[in-house]
Structures are given as C-alpha cells and as structure tokens.
Amino acid sequence: GGGGGGGGEEMDEMDKDLMELMGVVEAVEKKGHGPAVEESTRKHSKAAKEDLGSGQEQVERLLQPFYKFINLNPFEVMMLEENATEKDIKVRYRDLAALVHPDKNADPRARDAFEEVKKAHAQLQNQDRRQLCVALIQQAREEVVAARRRRVRKKEVREEDLPPLEDAVRRETRRMFAEIGQRKQKYEKGMRKEEERVINKEVERVQGIKKQAREYDKFAETRESRVGNWRQFAGVGGAAAAKKAKKRRGAAPSIKTSSLEVDGTVSGGDAKRMRRG
C-alpha cells in the first residue's frame, strides 16, 4: 500500500522474498521445532579451529534461499557468536576466504559467496556497526526468553517441549535483521524517488531556460530580415500614401490680386488698359 503515487505498485522481488521468509518463520514457530530455513547444523562458535566443511558447502550456505536477508547479520555469515573477539573474527575470515575465494573455488558462484564474507567482515571491523548487531542479537535473545516464559506460565507448552533456545534466538534474530533490512530498503527507495523528482524538476527548469534561449536566438537571427521587410513596406507604402495625400489636396489654385499674377508680372490685357488710361 502506502500513500502518495506509490499506491498499488507491485511488490518488488525483495518484498516477495521477505514475505515468503516471514511465512516460513511463522510456520516453523507454530510447529515449535526446527529452523526457519535450511541451515548448517554446525554450531556457531568462536573461531577455534573447527571444521567448516568444504568450499562447496560454504557456497551453498552463504547463498542459501533468502540469503540477502539472512546475511544481513554478519555474525551469522561468519558463523560466530556475538561475543567473538577481534582475533576470532580475523581467523574466521581467513578460513572462510580460503574456502570460497574464486581463485581457490571452481564453483561459478564462489565470487558471490566470497563477497558475502568480505561484506560481513567489513561490518564487524566497523565498531559502530558491530555494536548495533550485538545489541540486536541481545534484544532478540531477551524477547525469545520472555516469550518462552510466558508460554510456559500460561501452560501453552511444557518447558521441555520448547525448541532449543539458540535455534529460537537465531530465528528471531533473522526476523529482526530482515525487517530492519526491508525498512532500510524502503527508505532508500523513497529517497531515490525523491531525488529523481528533484532532478526531473531541475531538468525541466533547465530545458525551459534552453527553450527560451533558442527562441531568443531565432528571434535575433531573423531580425535583419524583419527590419528589411519593414523598410520595404515603409518605402512602398510611404510613396503610395504621399500620392494619395497629394490627390486629396489637388493642384494649388491660382491667386489673382489687382489683375496681377501671383508672380508679379503684368498681363497683356492689363497693359492695354494701362496704356489707354
């Protein structure tokens, strides 16, 4: 769902994976036994020399179904408990890398598996990230213990029938990391959409400016042509207008004063009359 323009969008693949994973977790919890998804039966422990299996087994574990969510917990990727030391982390990284490094493992998925190990190791090297992961795991443990006590107190289940505590903690830890991962993904997706909206708005603004500039350039380019046309129109039209004005005025009337022509010369008739007198 969700408000705004995003309503009705189909769930992306990560959403579908999360929904399916949560369904598996809930189904297992109702049964009360067994892991949420197929997982290694080897006990997670500090990196004392332990059998990590073959490179092929590690590739399968690191790229198991829903690994994008499961591997959000770097301790699970490294097969370590949250109280692992710096030395434990270093030794485990070295041993896992030797099993899945693409130079040493022929499986075509080895590079992807190695990237998961690298990513988890980098997170555990970051103290802030590591502390956050430890806090999440401890919170998951506290919630599981409290929930188990409530169920026993309410006589919903006998304590001896409860699944192993560590299995339940691991399931709850996976759930918490997956939910946080999904929230982070949705937040980043929303941020990307907002960035795209801002970018598109800026692109439209710049395109508008460019369009105005092109129109101005075109206007400037045709200026001489427009001026020439106007001059031609003014020349032809002006002459015609002058002609019409002259016609309206007509020829100037001859003005006689005392039988004298306008130019002051004496006419022949007047001269005769003057001689007679």
Side-chain angles (χ1 to χ4, degrees):
E9 288 184 359
E10 290 185 3
M11 289 189 302
D12 57 26
E13 289 304 311
M14 292 284 276
D15 286 332
K16 290 176 182 175
D17 282 353
L18 179 65
M19 293 291 287
E20 190 176 348
L21 172 60
M22 290 306 173
V24 172
V25 171
E26 288 169 7
V28 169
E29 285 177 341
K30 285 177 183 176
K31 290 180 184 176
H33 290 82
V37 295
E38 185 178 353
E39 63 182 21
S40 171
T41 56
R42 296 183 184 85
K43 180 177 174 58
H44 290 216
S45 68
K46 292 185 180 179
K49 200 69 177 174
E50 81 174 271
D51 179 17
L52 297 176
S54 67
Q56 183 63 35
E57 288 175 324
Q58 283 299 329
V59 169
E60 294 292 341
R61 180 185 72 85
L62 291 164
L63 302 179
Q64 64 184 295
F66 315 115
Y67 78 90
K68 289 179 182 177
F69 290 111
I70 293 170
N71 292 355
L72 290 172
N73 178 1
F75 287 102
E76 178 151 4
V77 174
M78 303 292 282
M79 297 177 68
L80 290 169
E81 295 178 3
E82 68 269 22
N83 59 354
T85 65
E86 294 286 345
K87 184 179 178 182
D88 293 331
I89 295 168
K90 183 178 178 180
V91 170
R92 180 51 50 81
Y93 174 69
R94 182 196 65 199
D95 292 344
L96 285 174
L99 288 170
V100 298
H101 194 284
D103 290 344
K104 300 179 180 181
N105 190 317
D107 191 304
R109 299 171 298 162
R111 183 170 297 279
D112 291 337
F114 178 62
E115 287 301 319
E116 293 299 313
V117 174
K118 257 177 67 176
K119 188 165 54 179
H121 180 249
Q123 289 179 6
L124 294 181
Q125 293 292 100
N126 181 315
Q127 289 301 317
D128 290 338
R129 174 68 182 175
R130 183 175 167 185
Q131 287 175 7
L132 174 62
C133 292
V134 169
L136 279 172
I137 294 168
Q138 289 175 347
Q139 181 182 340
R141 186 181 300 278
E142 290 170 4
E143 290 183 6
V144 167
V145 169
R148 286 159 70 96
R149 285 174 179 166
R150 280 196 303 272
R151 292 187 66 193
V152 171
R153 189 170 62 248
K154 291 179 180 179
K155 296 186 172 20
E156 293 177 359
V157 64
R158 294 185 303 173
E159 188 168 0
E160 55 268 27
D161 293 333
L162 287 169
L165 177 62
E166 289 307 312
D167 288 348
V169 171
R170 188 167 300 119
R171 287 197 298 274
E172 182 61 21
T173 301
R174 283 181 173 180
R175 183 204 293 276
M176 292 175 69
F177 273 96
E179 288 177 345
I180 289 172
Q182 190 199 37
R183 286 202 298 270
K184 181 184 175 186
Q185 187 187 57
K186 286 187 180 295
Y187 170 77
E188 290 173 349
K189 189 176 179 181
M191 289 296 292
R192 283 196 301 271
K193 281 188 176 179
E194 177 62 17
E195 286 173 2
E196 286 173 9
R197 188 190 68 79
V198 171
I199 290 170
N200 289 338
K201 193 172 180 182
E202 181 63 13
V203 167
E204 287 174 7
R205 187 184 72 82
V206 172
Q207 286 176 342
I209 292 171
K210 286 182 178 178
K211 184 179 178 183
Q212 289 178 348
R214 284 194 301 269
E215 289 173 352
Y216 176 80
D217 289 343
K218 189 175 179 182
F219 179 83
E221 285 171 4
T222 58
R223 181 176 180 278
E224 286 302 318
S225 174
R226 289 197 313 277
V227 170
N229 291 340
W230 169 251
R231 283 174 180 159
Q232 185 180 3
F233 170 78
V236 174
K243 216 169 185 182
K244 285 182 182 178
K246 191 171 180 183
K247 270 188 177 182
R248 283 197 301 270
R249 288 197 303 270
S254 59
I255 302 173
K256 295 182 180 180
T257 55
S258 303
S259 302
L260 297 176
E261 288 191 351
V262 176
D263 59 1
T265 59
V266 180
S267 68
D270 288 337
K272 285 180 181 179
R273 284 193 292 275
M274 287 174 69
R275 280 199 297 273
R276 285 178 192 154

